[in-house]
Amino acid sequence: MAIRKHSVATRMWTVILGIVLVLAAVAFTLQNRTASAFKHALDDVEAMDRDIATVLQWRGNTEVAVTLLIASIATTDQVLADNYGKRFKTRLQRSADFQAEAEKHATTPERQAALGKISAERQRMLELTAQSQKLAQQGALEASRALVTKEIDPQAARYVEAQDAYVALLQREMLVLSAQADKVSTQYAVAGAVAIAASVLVALWLVAQLVRSIAGTLHQASELANAIAEGDLTQSASTERQDELGMLLRSLSFMSERLRSVVGE
């Protein structure tokens, strides 16, 4: 074989470097794949955090808007009522912006259904708000306040509950993402252990082949040397090895032949 032409040192270093390169390649591949998987999971988690933050801001804005609406109707000071009314409109626009942002990321049927529920509750809230403001403008303050107590307050609670349900949905999705990330981590850990174990087994097989190759030739050389030392010059050995061990075995065999010739003379 061509490999037998190389020196023992060369073969040993080849095996060692081969093992190192294989282990390095396995480690590099696993690291890249693990990093890619974790980056993907991290991106998903960051997106989920952003969506949850948006809905929580939307919810808080809704509560402030309802408070401003009630204050604008409850107060008898027209200046304050106008001020509360303007701030309520600003909050109303913010709610619309938050809803548009949430709808932009509603990529699943569950999210779309939950947002549909929120939209329905918001629409009903806007209708009641318009009725209340119309009554107030007509001077029917008591009727407007009664509408707030009997319908707007309960509707606002339903509106916020729908937003809370959406937050709960996102939090459940976050738990699923976390479980998936843990699963991916476990899978890559197992794959890494299997790959390293396989690499070690291959390395051990290569070392065993090298040791057997060296030990076999050394055993031949030792047997031949012992035979010569005991005066048995009939022994000889042949090998195809072109390395140091092959040279040693051929030298011993040649020495046995020369000594046999000398003794024969």
Side-chain angles (χ1 to χ4, degrees), residues 8 12 209-219 241 245:
V8 174
M12 291 182 65
Q209 295 299 312
L210 180 60
V211 169
R212 187 174 66 176
S213 172
I214 295 172
T217 305
L218 283 176
H219 180 71
R241 299 180 69 114
L245 293 176

Side-chain angles (χ1 to χ4, degrees), residues 63-84:
E63 291 180 333
V64 174
V66 171
T67 301
L68 289 171
L69 173 64
I70 294 173
S72 68
I73 295 172
T75 184
T76 56
D77 189 321
Q78 190 57 44
V79 175
L80 280 177
D82 291 342
N83 180 268
Y84 290 147

